[in-house]
Amino acid sequence: MIVALAGGVGGSKLVEGLAHLVSPPEDLVVVVNTADDEEFYGLYVSPDLDTVMYTLAGIVNRDSGWGVEDDTFEALGMLGRYGEETWFRLGDKDLATHILRTRELRQGKSLTEVTAGLTRRLGVRARILPMSDDPVRTIVQTPEGEVAFQEYFVKRRASDPVVGVRFEGIDRARPTPQVLSALREAEMIVVCPSNPIVSIGPILSLPGFREALREAQAVKVAVSPLAAGRAFKGPTVEMMQGLGYEASSFGVISLYCDFLHVALIDESDAELTPRIQELGIRVVVRSIAMRTLEEKVALAKAVLEVASLGRG
Ligand code: FO1
């Protein structure tokens, strides 16, 4: 069994590659960040869960990497006519997901149960697990004050300098029993190339999660989200710099050094190999770009091959 820790768009690409290789499909378990979740118009929206779910269902919008393909925005247009804010682009098809999720949460189901139901109904056989059933919200600290994650990321286009990040509710939140048992049973745990601060950060910050990772018998591999000091997408570099971390594959991997066995970094970062090895982590150098399905599957294959190297 393979457990992947993932955020949104970057993580989903590797998860898509893994889904092409892991058999039976149920042996792929994706533990997903829920600290980006937000309520819009009274609906519970879980962007990273949806990005992973739509990607594995083969219905994700390929241009943006999030939302449903060929979606329309009629409902959003009408909300705008009522004078509501419409900066978070919820499509008509996407709204169906949020309506059902909200209804089922109100009926008393956990986010884990609701996600399992939605995923099954979309024909996805990999298991998608929210990191927690407890509310955690990323708050971004800027020189002008604190903003909720989606407001920073979407409304303000990640343009504010980031001076701090905190995860509201994290002290009271717990990883779910399903997540903890997946970590225990996994043969391999993969940290996807997602933002280490706001996508993987909340998962690792859940009380007990890092300990569970360290105790897990699995081979633990991380794929860097950076190549030559640049992110494929999103504000990873700016965030890391703002928080005082080295914005490089070395900086990312050092955040995982207490549990990691192997780091997969891009060819353009090959010169970082000795510094990462000094952390006690094995290094595999590959092209980590995932523009096409072939590249996603090739990178996933490289990740699975690492398992055969063992803990090293
Ligand atoms: N990202 C954007 O940049 N702009 C949007 O309007 C937007 C809407 C949206 C709606 C549903 C959904 O599931 C995701 C959406 N995202 C949007 C993506 C999301 O904000 C981010 O990719 C993640 O939160 C970061 O991982």
Side-chain angles (χ1 to χ4, degrees):
M1 197 182 80
I2 313 274
V3 172
L5 312 184
V9 179
S12 305
K13 290 185 178 173
L14 182 61
V15 166
E16 186 179 6
L18 288 168
H20 270 75
L21 301 170
V22 176
S23 172
E26 293 78 8
D27 276 0
L28 177 61
V29 180
V30 193
V31 175
V32 181
N33 171 43
T34 54
D36 291 6
D37 294 8
E38 190 60 84
E39 267 201 24
F40 293 96
Y41 322 113
L43 298 176
Y44 187 102
V45 180
S46 193
D48 287 357
L49 280 175
D50 291 341
T51 299
V52 172
M53 180 171 77
Y54 295 152
T55 300
L56 291 181
I59 59 168
V60 78
N61 178 329
R62 294 272 166 204
D63 297 328
S64 59
W66 51 264
V68 181
E69 65 184 348
D70 301 326
D71 214 345
T72 49
F73 293 85
E74 298 295 327
L76 204 70
M78 191 65 185
L79 284 159
R81 215 175 139 181
Y82 278 119
E84 296 289 319
E85 288 194 76
T86 56
W87 50 266
F88 199 72
R89 308 295 296 162
L90 293 170
D92 298 320
K93 294 180 187 174
D94 191 24
L95 276 167
T97 306
H98 315 311
I99 291 169
L100 289 181
R101 176 187 292 120
T102 306
R103 184 184 72 185
E104 294 182 12
L105 287 171
R106 285 209 188 117
Q107 287 167 347
K109 287 191 188 167
S110 68
L111 188 58
T112 300
E113 290 168 325
V114 176
T115 305
L118 294 173
T119 307
R120 180 182 46 75
R121 286 190 271 176
L122 285 181
V124 174
R125 288 175 59 197
R127 283 190 286 155
I128 303 176
L129 298 177
M131 65 180 198
S132 178
D133 284 330
D134 305 313
V136 179
R137 294 293 171 268
T138 295
I139 308 289
V140 179
Q141 297 164 320
T142 77
E144 286 173 41
E146 294 196 326
V147 275
F149 179 77
Q150 295 300 345
E151 189 171 340
Y152 154 79
F153 190 74
V154 176
K155 187 176 183 186
R156 301 167 72 91
R157 296 171 194 274
S159 57
D160 303 83
V162 177
V163 296
V165 167
R166 66 182 179 86
F167 306 126
E168 203 166 80
I170 198 83
D171 295 340
R172 292 181 304 279
R174 293 290 176 271
T176 63
Q178 292 86 342
V179 165
L180 291 174
S181 97
L183 293 179
R184 272 194 305 269
E185 288 165 32
E187 288 151 56
M188 179 179 228
I189 299 173
V190 186
V191 184
C192 288
S194 299
N195 184 317
I197 310 292
V198 290
S199 296
I200 303 299
I203 305 178
L204 298 182
S205 301
L206 284 167
F209 197 96
R210 272 186 185 268
E211 292 74 7
L213 260 185
R214 283 197 292 265
E215 283 165 20
Q217 294 300 303
V219 181
K220 293 148 215 167
V221 185
V223 179
S224 175
L226 301 180
R230 281 194 295 274
F232 291 95
K233 191 176 183 291
T236 303
V237 167
E238 295 76 7
M239 269 193 175
M240 291 187 76
Q241 284 169 342
L243 299 182
Y245 297 112
E246 180 181 313
S248 71
S249 290
F250 173 81
V252 174
I253 297 304
S254 62
L255 295 173
Y256 307 146
C257 70
D258 59 314
F259 63 83
L260 203 67
H261 298 123
V262 190
L264 224 143
I265 63 170
D266 192 65
E267 287 152 354
S268 60
D269 284 337
E271 83 274 6
L272 296 172
T273 302
R275 289 179 66 206
I276 298 174
Q277 283 171 336
E278 270 173 38
L279 299 171
I281 295 168
R282 296 173 64 129
V283 178
V284 174
V285 178
R286 285 277 189 292
S287 169
I288 61 169
M290 290 188 283
R291 288 159 298 216
T292 61
L293 178 62
E294 289 69 33
E295 286 181 343
K296 291 171 197 169
V297 175
L299 185 58
K301 213 174 248 169
V303 168
L304 295 181
E305 276 164 18
V306 161
S308 58
L309 296 175
R311 294 135 156 275

